[in-house]
Amino acid sequence: MAVDGCEGDLCVIHKSKPVHVIAEFTANQDTSKIEVKVTGQLNGLEVPIPGIETDGCKVLKCPLKKGTKYTMNYSVNVPSVVPNIKTVVKLLATGEHGVLACGAVNTDVKP
């Protein structure tokens, strides 16, 4: 998974500005739906990040075929309600039969 604004192990992202994520994966299942969940760690809890498109079929053309390599090119604006914080952001893509892809990045959210 690659995220714009990353240098080394830390990604600096700015609120209300687009963040581009590129994730390559090989589908481990046939599926006609993809649910995308993006969370951040806040006080030890995994909290969903608001305003994120959860229908992965709006990003990739569904259905997906097992064994086929896909590139998910995802662009989001970090909502202004997200606090200024250094945290781990996780992306989880789930198909009809379980996890399709996942990844995590260390982030520093700034105004």
Side-chain angles (χ1 to χ4, degrees):
M1 187 166 75
V3 181
D4 285 357
C6 294
E7 291 184 21
D9 290 337
L10 184 66
C11 298
V12 176
I13 57 178
H14 297 275
K15 293 188 267 188
S16 301
K17 293 191 178 179
V19 176
H20 303 285
V21 178
I22 298 174
E24 292 182 347
F25 66 96
T26 301
N28 60 2
Q29 59 186 278
D30 291 335
T31 185
S32 60
K33 69 176 188 173
I34 307 166
E35 179 184 354
V36 176
K37 183 177 178 184
V38 180
T39 61
Q41 293 280 332
L42 183 62
N43 295 328
L45 299 174
E46 262 190 52
V47 178
I49 296 176
I52 304 295
E53 176 60 62
T54 59
D55 183 356
C57 291
K58 292 183 178 177
V59 180
L60 288 174
K61 185 178 178 184
C62 292
L64 272 59
K65 296 290 180 193
K66 183 177 181 176
T68 302
K69 187 174 183 177
Y70 295 93
T71 301
M72 182 180 276
N73 194 340
Y74 203 80
S75 184
V76 298
N77 282 331
V78 178
S80 60
V81 297
V82 173
N84 298 341
I85 189 172
K86 286 187 179 179
T87 187
V88 176
V89 173
K90 295 180 182 178
L91 181 141
L92 177 67
T94 305
E96 293 172 293
H97 308 286
V99 174
L100 277 166
C102 61
V105 292
N106 294 314
T107 60
D108 187 2
V109 180
K110 296 187 179 242

